[in-house]
Amino acid sequence: MAQTQACWPPTLTTDPEILGYLTDINKINYSRDIGRSFHLGGNIYHQYGDTFCKNSKGDFVGVVCCTTSKVVDQSKPLQSSYLAIDSNGLVMPLLSLNDEEIAYQKNNPGNRPTLWAFGGVVEVGNGIGLLWYEKGIDHNPGSGQPQTYECLGIGIAKVAIERSSGQPTTERIPGLLFQQNEPHFGSAFLDNGYIYLYGQISGDCKIALTRVPPDSATDRSKYQFWNGSGWCTNTSDCAPAYADLPQGQVLRSSFFGTAYPYLFVGVSKYGDSKIRVGRAKAPEGPWDIYVVGTAKGINYPNDYMYCIFPHPWAFADKDGKLMVTWSEHWPGGVVAAKLSFKLDAQAAKQGL
């Protein structure tokens, strides 16, 4: 049977169709961002950044940095469930602060240690995954003083599923894999015996690429870095795989045909809310990337939309449909939309 695929250059048959917010089945309206999804142990999870937690009365009870919810019914991709919430209404984080970070926060009021994971969990075994996260300090949040962010580097954690509850639990590996002046690697996927990770080169918006065998991911010496023509061992020799697209996701997909098995969906650094879609023959590129539409907010549409990610499991890609999400600025949430691409009838006839 011929492979059905979307046409190239990518063209939508209509404007992005807003589906609604990602919601929690506990009926609490959380303000949160990121909203990237991942597979682990046969389940699908949504992963968030800062989550402004509320109790059952709707009262704000605090901010949790990195949370995850389980999709209970895949036919309802916008609905998910937080599996662990304490009696005060605080959601259990996917990544917890260690003793040193808790002590720092106590001794430096107004400065918040952060563990942000933009890249999703990569499953390396049945119910076992790896997660790269950016460790930083959010200086003066909500204080009325100028707010700044300081990235300290990139760490890695092992993720496992608690069988009785389906709740992901994590073990942070001590130390940092990459320092603050190195690329902020994190956006990851598994392909052909390697985990590939993209990350913004420090102080720039050029996106570097590294790869590592899954069983060596905690060993910094096993990482290889793309230098523009091959793989090297020093981050100082990194050449960009692409540029100006700091938030997004690369995955293996036949959405645009088997000759271009790598798909990119994301957003640029320009704050223009444009949905960008690309394809390539290899993870390192070269990438061909187009604007296909504009992300719009629901209740908070005035600021630009960020953290645009694809969720290919939500629809059958043979129909040219792709669910994507993006984030509104606080106090907004994560918005889901359907992209309907024009199909390539000629490619289907030729079996490309």
Side-chain angles (χ1 to χ4, degrees):
M1 187 176 188
Q3 172 70 40
T4 303
Q5 66 186 62
C7 70
W8 192 264
T11 305
L12 299 186
T13 60
T14 185
D15 290 338
E17 177 187 348
I18 302 296
L19 301 175
Y21 287 112
L22 295 190
T23 60
D24 199 274
I25 61 176
N26 65 18
K27 306 298 184 182
I28 294 177
N29 181 26
Y30 298 99
S31 175
R32 52 195 180 182
D33 62 3
I34 299 183
R36 181 170 177 154
S37 62
F38 62 88
H39 291 75
L40 193 62
N43 300 315
I44 298 172
Y45 299 86
H46 289 302
Q47 179 184 319
Y48 306 98
D50 280 349
T51 301
F52 292 78
C53 300
K54 300 176 183 178
N55 59 24
S56 58
K57 297 179 181 179
D59 299 324
F60 172 70
V61 295
V63 180
V64 176
C65 187
C66 182
T67 67
T68 185
S69 60
K70 180 182 176 183
V71 176
V72 179
D73 183 347
Q74 188 171 329
S75 68
K76 300 176 181 178
L78 275 62
Q79 294 184 12
S80 60
S81 175
Y82 279 129
L83 301 179
I85 305 174
D86 72 16
S87 58
N88 295 322
L90 287 174
V91 178
M92 177 184 289
L94 180 60
L95 291 167
S96 298
L97 298 178
N98 59 29
D99 291 341
E100 179 184 357
E101 292 155 352
I102 292 172
Y104 173 88
Q105 189 170 28
K106 181 179 179 180
N107 296 327
N108 297 270
N111 295 300
R112 180 172 69 108
T114 58
L115 305 172
W116 284 332
F118 294 91
V121 174
V122 174
E123 187 162 22
V124 295
N126 185 21
I128 304 296
L130 296 169
L131 173 68
W132 289 258
Y133 64 89
E134 183 173 311
K135 178 176 177 177
I137 301 175
D138 195 10
H139 295 283
N140 303 317
S143 67
Q145 300 296 319
Q147 183 173 348
T148 59
Y149 172 70
E150 178 184 6
C151 173
L152 300 179
I154 303 299
I156 187 173
K158 295 181 179 179
V159 185
I161 297 296
E162 187 179 273
R163 293 299 176 183
S164 59
S165 66
Q167 172 72 18
T169 61
T170 55
E171 174 195 356
R172 290 173 58 191
I173 305 303
L176 295 172
L177 276 176
F178 300 99
Q179 303 306 308
Q180 60 186 158
N181 62 338
E182 294 185 296
H184 303 170
F185 292 114
S187 185
F189 72 102
L190 179 63
D191 183 57
N192 288 332
Y194 286 98
I195 296 173
Y196 290 87
L197 299 106
Y198 299 86
Q200 185 172 329
I201 295 174
S202 182
D204 204 339
C205 204
K206 295 181 174 62
I207 309 302
L209 174 63
T210 186
R211 70 180 187 182
V212 66
D215 58 359
S216 302
T218 60
D219 184 349
R220 167 60 190 267
S221 69
K222 301 299 184 182
Y223 283 74
Q224 301 174 328
F225 308 96
W226 179 249
N227 66 8
S229 59
W231 299 94
C232 63
T233 58
N234 296 312
T235 57
S236 59
D237 295 325
C238 284
Y242 55 85
D244 299 335
L245 301 164
Q247 296 170 351
Q249 181 177 353
V250 172
L251 51 91
R252 191 176 183 97
S253 171
S254 59
F255 198 83
F256 292 111
T258 56
Y260 293 87
Y262 299 95
L263 169 69
F264 170 84
V265 177
V267 64
S268 79
K269 69 177 183 179
Y270 301 111
D272 57 11
S273 302
K274 300 299 184 183
I275 305 164
R276 286 169 164 81
V277 173
R279 70 177 188 179
K281 292 184 176 181
E284 62 270 20
W287 285 93
D288 197 8
I289 298 174
Y290 285 80
V291 171
V292 300
T294 302
K296 298 180 180 179
I298 299 176
N299 292 330
Y300 304 94
N302 293 330
D303 290 324
Y304 67 87
M305 304 295 118
Y306 62 105
C307 283
I308 297 181
F309 295 113
H311 305 266
W313 52 268
F315 303 122
D317 61 5
K318 67 182 180 61
D319 297 326
K321 313 295 184 186
L322 180 66
M323 189 176 97
V324 299
T325 57
W326 52 77
S327 297
E328 297 175 323
H329 287 261
W330 183 88
V334 178
V335 178
K338 180 195 293 185
L339 304 184
S340 298
F341 289 84
K342 182 179 178 182
L343 297 179
D344 190 334
Q346 188 62 31
K349 289 180 181 179
Q350 296 174 357
L352 298 179

